[in-house]
Amino acid sequence: MTTITRNLPSFIRDPAIGLIGTRCYISLVENLHIADTVCLKLAISKALGVAIVLGGAVMKIPQLLLILRARHARGLSLPAFALETLAYLITLVYAYRNSYPFSTYGENLFLTIQNIAITLLIIYYMPSGQNHLTTKRAKSNAPSVLIGGVISAVASYTLLILPMNMLQLLQLGTVPISLFSKIPQIRENHRNQSTGQLSVFAVASQVFGCAARLFTTVTEMGDSLVFAGFALALVLNVALGAQIWMYWGRSVPSTKEHWPREKDDFANVVEPSEIPNAQYQTSHLTGNTAPAAGRRWARKVD
C-alpha cells in the first residue's frame, strides 16, 4: 500500500503538502502512520476548514434566493443581520492581519459579502413609512441602500488600517456583538411565532460550521478570543434552530396596506331621484304658491 501512497501524482501530492506540511504528509500518507495523533488532528482540522470555507461560499445563497423570490424580507431583523455582518468583518480582518491560515477563517470572507447583500436587500424591501403598515417597497429606499454600501466599504477599509491593539479589542467585542446580533432575530421570531424568510439551510450550516470551527481554532490557532466568539455563536445558532423546529410551517402574518382615503370632489351630492317632490305653500299675504326649498346640489370647496 505504501508503494502507491509514496508515488501519488503531483497534482495530489503538492496540494496535500501545502495543506498539512511535508512532515505530516510523509507520516500520514506515505508511511500510513495513523497513530501520529498530532498530524492526524491537523489533517482533520485542515479538512474541516476547507469544507467550512467551501460551505461558507454558498451558505447564505438560499437566504438571498428566498428574499428575491418572495420580494420581501418579512420576518428578518435588520439589526440582527447588520450586527452579524460587523462580527464577520471584524473576525475576517483580525485573522487576515494575524496571518492565520486561510482555511481557519476563509468562510468569513464569503459570509461577509453575502451578509452585506442580504442586509441591503432587507433595506431595499423595507416597508415604506414609519409605521411599517405597508409592504409595498418605496422607491425612497434606494438611497438608503447606497448609503449602506458606502458604510460597508468604509468600515472594511478602517479595520484594515486600524492599529492592531484596537483591532484586538474589537475582536473581543465580537462576543457581545454576536450576542446582540442574534437576540433581535430570536425576539422577532418569538413575536411573530414564525421564522419568516429565515433559511433553514443557512442556520443549520452555521450550527455545524461553528461546532467545527471550535475544533479548528483549538488545533491551529489557539486564540481564545476567536474561540469564545465561535462558542457563543454556536449557542445562539442552536437557539435559532430550535425556533425553526418549533415554528415550522407557520408564516408571518402580513399587514394590510393602508392607503389614504381619496377625497371626493363632490360632497352631499343628491341624486335627482332622491329630490323630494316640490311642495307648494300658499302665502297668506299674496296668495301665490312657491315651491318649498328642497335639497340643493353643493360642490365641495377644495
Side-chain angles (χ1 to χ4, degrees):
M1 190 67 179
T2 55
T3 304
I4 298 176
T5 58
R6 290 175 181 175
N7 294 280
L8 292 175
S10 59
F11 67 86
I12 296 178
R13 182 179 62 254
D14 294 344
I17 292 176
L19 197 62
I20 62 176
T22 303
R23 191 187 74 82
C24 286
Y25 178 82
I26 294 174
S27 176
L28 294 177
V29 180
E30 293 188 354
N31 297 332
L32 297 178
H33 187 203
I34 307 300
D36 189 345
T37 56
V38 175
C39 287
L40 184 61
K41 288 174 62 177
L42 178 62
I44 294 174
S45 177
K46 291 293 187 181
L48 286 174
V50 171
I52 294 171
V53 172
L54 294 176
V58 297
M59 184 182 296
K60 296 298 184 80
I61 297 299
Q63 183 70 78
L64 284 166
L65 294 178
L66 280 174
I67 298 174
L68 292 173
R69 189 180 300 116
R71 300 185 68 82
H72 68 77
R74 194 179 302 127
L76 300 183
S77 171
L78 176 59
F81 275 90
L83 290 173
E84 185 182 58
T85 304
L86 179 60
Y88 283 147
L89 183 59
I90 293 173
T91 302
L92 170 65
V93 176
Y94 177 80
Y96 170 76
R97 293 184 60 180
N98 277 287
S99 300
Y100 291 142
F102 185 74
S103 61
T104 61
Y105 70 90
E107 77 279 2
N108 283 287
L109 172 63
F110 302 109
L111 291 176
T112 299
I113 296 173
Q114 294 170 63
N115 252 38
I116 289 174
I118 292 172
T119 303
L120 295 180
L121 281 176
I122 293 175
I123 296 173
Y124 183 74
Y125 288 117
M126 184 178 293
S128 61
Q130 295 180 353
N131 53 9
H132 295 269
L133 292 178
T134 176
T135 57
K136 187 176 182 180
R137 175 182 55 81
K139 293 181 179 179
S140 59
N141 287 345
S144 300
V145 173
L146 180 60
I147 293 173
V150 172
I151 291 175
S152 301
V154 171
S156 302
Y157 178 75
T158 302
L159 290 173
L160 286 172
I161 63 175
L162 204 64
M164 197 60 195
N165 57 345
M166 295 185 65
L167 187 59
Q168 288 176 341
L169 291 176
L170 288 178
Q171 179 61 36
L172 180 62
T174 58
V175 176
I177 289 175
S178 296
L179 176 63
F180 289 117
S181 71
K182 298 298 183 183
I183 286 180
Q185 186 64 64
I186 293 173
R187 184 174 55 188
E188 182 81 6
N189 295 340
H190 177 71
R191 184 174 64 86
N192 294 327
Q193 295 293 293
S194 169
T195 54
Q197 297 300 316
L198 193 62
S199 170
V200 179
F201 176 81
V203 174
S205 299
Q206 285 180 309
V207 170
F208 290 109
C210 289
R213 272 293 172 231
L214 294 178
F215 178 78
T216 61
T217 301
V218 171
T219 304
E220 299 184 58
M221 299 170 65
D223 194 313
S224 58
L225 294 179
V226 178
F227 182 87
F230 282 124
L232 181 59
L234 175 62
V235 173
L236 296 174
N237 280 309
V238 168
L240 285 176
Q243 285 187 321
I244 290 177
W245 177 75
M246 291 169 56
Y247 303 139
W248 185 261
R250 302 183 188 179
S251 59
V252 179
S254 59
T255 55
K256 294 183 179 180
E257 295 185 359
H258 290 249
W259 299 94
R261 182 176 297 176
E262 296 182 358
K263 297 181 179 180
D264 296 332
D265 290 334
F266 295 93
N268 299 327
V269 177
V270 181
E271 297 294 334
S273 60
E274 296 178 358
I275 300 177
N277 294 328
Q279 297 179 357
Y280 294 90
Q281 298 177 348
T282 303
S283 173
H284 295 286
L285 298 176
T286 61
N288 295 329
T289 60
R295 299 177 67 181
R296 297 182 178 179
W297 294 79
R299 180 179 178 87
K300 184 177 179 181
V301 179
D302 293 332

